Amino acid sequence: MCDPSASCQTIAVAPWFACACPDNFGGDGLRTGTGCVEERCSLPTIDNAEFIPAQAPDAMFSVSEELSYQCQQGFRFAAALGVTEPQRRLNCNSMQRWEYGGSELNAIRPCLEDVNECTENVHNCDDTATCTNTHGSFTCDCALGRGRINATHCEAASSFRCPALLTLHGAWNYSEERAVDGYLLNTVATLTCLMGFAQFSRPPVICADGSEWFRVSNQSLCVNINECSADSQRCAGVTGSVCVDTIGSYECSPCEESQIVVNNRCQDTSVGSGMCSRNTQACAALVGSTCTDTAVSYECVCPALQAARGGRCQDALTGGTADDDVSKSGISLYIIIAIV
């Protein structure tokens, strides 16, 4: 009836027995119920802290078991919390909660205060470097003309070289001449792109610590400019033509197979140029002629049995001068063709 770890006690009322779990165990003690389950504390979450020794995230602790932690390097307990010891030791109580010194109140203290290693002079930057505090740590910045050999030490820039930079569709320009084995520290490089390309990342790059270019990334590239989307009128000079972007340039797609370019527009060859309707005086110089569209231009045509003489259409059989371009021995049809 009772769980194997529980003790069975006789009582004076039904069901005439009771199951009691041992200390630090919870449950109803019944074999058919929850039984007896050890009461344990789970690992707490503490900002900027580390456990001593290290614990797995799913670690559990029995009642009365201890857990110690300390602040990570670069952090400490805030002075207002009143914690003076470097480590804090917690105890798991019978209520499955952590306590410190017999009290649950504020037993867990977070490590929220950042240590300023620079102002407190607990950094290890060398004498030529400048210490800069960061959240939980610090950096050592080398002076101009010196390069970094590791996280905390610098040396003269003469021993540092950066390799030449490569890119497609552009060229790098350097503020300093290239030495035999590379570019000196603090050399500034700027990227110039070829026509039809634009720089994806604008800031110049610098030969920095460790002989590496600072700010160089996949974004320091010359990328193609889409001239068609940048200017919707790019191919407006030929109505009916479509702008097609190409790598580094663009092209205006040709007219369809059944079309030709007439007066800067794509036009079907079967339609004609339409120049006669657009210029009613196209054949004014040949009196009596009729304007007729061609595929690419127009013609001034005299009526049947007439030819052009002296700027007008005349009967082909009438007389004319020797200068006339009409043969008196036969009938000829003369047509003025305008080529534009």
Side-chain angles (χ1 to χ4, degrees):
M1 294 181 292
C2 290
D3 186 269
S5 60
S7 60
C8 183
Q9 301 173 355
T10 301
I11 58 177
V13 294
W16 318 114
F17 75 94
C19 300
C21 292
D23 292 342
N24 302 328
F25 282 78
D28 58 15
L30 294 173
R31 187 188 299 271
T32 57
T34 60
C36 293
V37 180
E38 184 181 10
E39 296 172 332
R40 310 180 77 186
C41 295
S42 60
L43 190 70
T45 299
I46 307 175
D47 292 335
N48 307 318
E50 56 188 16
F51 297 104
I52 305 171
Q55 303 290 338
D58 58 351
M60 300 294 292
F61 300 83
S62 301
V63 173
S64 300
E65 193 170 357
E66 294 182 344
L67 174 66
S68 295
Y69 73 94
Q70 66 183 14
C71 294
Q72 295 174 344
Q73 184 173 348
F75 296 94
R76 60 182 163 220
F77 297 111
L81 298 178
V83 180
T84 57
E85 70 274 19
Q87 293 185 13
R88 196 162 180 82
R89 184 173 298 174
L90 307 177
N91 291 87
C92 178
N93 64 23
S94 59
M95 301 300 293
Q96 298 175 291
R97 290 193 286 266
W98 293 102
E99 64 179 32
Y100 175 78
S103 172
E104 295 179 11
L105 183 63
N106 298 323
I108 298 175
R109 298 290 195 178
C111 301
L112 298 180
E113 184 174 322
D114 173 56
V115 175
N116 190 325
E117 294 84 357
C118 301
T119 58
E120 297 181 22
N121 201 28
V122 290
H123 63 84
N124 58 347
C125 299
D126 73 16
D127 295 339
T128 64
T130 301
C131 177
T132 302
N133 186 60
T134 62
H135 187 64
S137 186
F138 64 95
T139 59
C140 302
D141 302 316
C142 297
L144 185 65
R146 298 182 66 82
R148 188 189 309 277
I149 58 176
N150 55 41
T152 59
H153 290 74
C154 310
E155 69 176 30
S158 58
S159 60
F160 290 87
R161 298 289 188 274
C162 287
L165 291 164
L166 301 176
T167 191
L168 294 174
H169 314 303
W172 287 98
N173 304 295
Y174 303 94
S175 62
E176 303 292 337
E177 292 293 330
R178 185 180 187 275
V180 175
D181 52 352
Y183 291 94
L184 294 175
L185 189 72
N186 298 319
T187 296
V188 177
T190 54
L191 181 59
T192 301
C193 296
L194 298 176
M195 182 178 296
F197 296 88
Q199 190 173 344
F200 189 80
S201 179
R202 293 291 181 185
V205 298
I206 302 172
C207 181
D209 302 337
S211 300
E212 294 180 350
W213 290 99
F214 177 62
R215 292 198 187 106
V216 169
S217 67
N218 290 334
Q219 294 183 339
S220 298
L221 302 173
C222 291
V223 296
N224 176 57
I225 297 174
N226 189 327
E227 291 86 354
C228 297
S229 62
D231 182 3
S232 60
Q233 301 299 311
R234 185 71 66 175
C235 290
V238 180
T239 304
S241 181
V242 178
C243 182
V244 178
D245 184 56
T246 61
I247 301 300
S249 186
Y250 72 96
E251 61 184 24
C252 297
S253 64
C255 299
E256 297 180 3
E257 292 184 2
S258 62
Q259 295 181 322
I260 58 175
V261 177
V262 179
N263 292 331
N264 290 328
R265 66 170 54 238
C266 293
Q267 183 168 295
D268 292 336
T269 55
S270 60
V271 174
S273 65
M275 294 182 67
C276 293
S277 61
R278 292 196 301 275
N279 183 7
T280 58
Q281 300 299 313
C283 291
L286 182 59
V287 178
S289 66
T290 301
C291 183
T292 302
D293 285 322
T294 65
V296 297
S297 186
Y298 68 95
E299 297 175 343
C300 297
V301 182
C302 288
L305 303 179
Q306 288 191 352
R309 287 197 188 97
R312 66 175 54 245
C313 293
Q314 300 183 19
D315 290 339
L317 298 180
T318 61
T321 65
D323 295 331
D324 291 336
D325 291 329
V326 179
S327 171
K328 293 183 179 180
S329 60
I331 300 175
S332 299
L333 179 65
Y334 284 82
I335 301 172
I336 296 177
I337 302 177
I339 303 298
V340 294

